[in-house]
């Protein structure tokens, strides 16, 4: 990892922790605010530690983009949790074969960047 990339990643981590410190839930309830703050801190720790040893520049760039997208979406919608998405069901494909593989590939491609690591952690 280059020093510039390292500084960018550390800056993102600090930004997420700063957001967690100043976070206010949409409902304004103290209990919910504390729960959401804790979720933000735990999610950040988990994902940053999981990706600590990543050395591939393309994968690092993808992780940075995912983090930035999750920050922007969280601040815009005032929810710390990843927004659910609609993916078409896979009920039309047979249990095996090219059609199933093709549908799986389409589902993987259509998943937004901010949910790439969510399934791995949850």
């Amino acid at each position: 990892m280059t020093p510039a990339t390292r500084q960018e990643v550390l800056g993102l981590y600090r930004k997420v922790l700063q957001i967690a410190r100043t976070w206010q839930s949409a409902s304004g309830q103290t209990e919910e605010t504390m729960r959401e703050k804790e979720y933000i801190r735990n999610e950040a720790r988990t994902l940053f530690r999981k990706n600590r040893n990543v050395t591939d520049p393309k994968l690092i760039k993808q992780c940075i983009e995912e983090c930035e997208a999750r920050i922007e979406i969280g601040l815009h919608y005032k929810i710390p949790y990843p927004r659910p998405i609609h993916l078409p069901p896979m009920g039309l494909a047979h249990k095996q074969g090219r059609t199933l593989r093709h549908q799986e590939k389409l589902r993987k491609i259509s998943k937004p960047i901010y949910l790439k690591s969510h399934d791995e952690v949850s």
Side-chain angles (χ1 to χ4, degrees):
M1 183 184 311
T2 65
T5 306
R6 179 176 167 76
Q7 289 302 316
E8 184 178 5
V9 170
L10 291 174
L12 281 172
Y13 190 64
R14 282 194 287 290
K15 184 176 182 178
V16 170
L17 294 179
Q18 176 64 31
I19 289 169
R21 272 195 300 277
T22 61
W23 185 262
Q24 185 66 32
S25 71
S27 68
Q29 295 178 348
T30 306
E31 299 165 359
E32 191 172 336
T33 299
M34 296 307 291
R35 214 174 352 189
E36 290 179 358
K37 285 181 175 186
E38 189 64 28
Y39 172 80
I40 294 169
R41 282 192 296 272
N42 288 338
E43 185 80 359
R45 277 189 209 115
T46 302
L47 290 175
F48 277 86
R49 285 180 182 163
K50 181 184 101 142
N51 295 319
R52 178 188 314 186
N53 297 321
V54 173
T55 56
D56 180 29
K58 290 181 182 179
L59 190 55
I60 292 172
K61 186 175 186 309
Q62 181 182 358
C63 291
I64 289 171
E65 289 173 357
E66 179 182 354
C67 182
E68 290 170 344
R70 288 183 72 171
I71 288 171
E72 291 302 316
I73 288 171
L75 292 175
H76 178 77
Y77 291 105
K78 304 289 186 214
I79 57 170
Y81 313 107
R83 291 180 51 80
I85 59 167
H86 173 71
L87 292 177
M90 294 183 57
L92 300 176
H94 298 289
K95 297 293 182 200
Q96 52 185 292
R98 288 177 44 191
T99 308
L100 178 64
R101 287 193 302 273
H102 181 68
Q103 276 193 345
E104 287 175 345
K105 182 180 176 185
L106 288 176
R107 285 177 62 85
K108 185 176 181 184
I109 291 170
S110 66
K111 185 179 260 191
I113 190 166
Y114 62 88
L115 285 176
K116 297 289 184 190
S117 64
H118 184 262
D119 292 338
E120 298 168 7
V121 174
S122 298

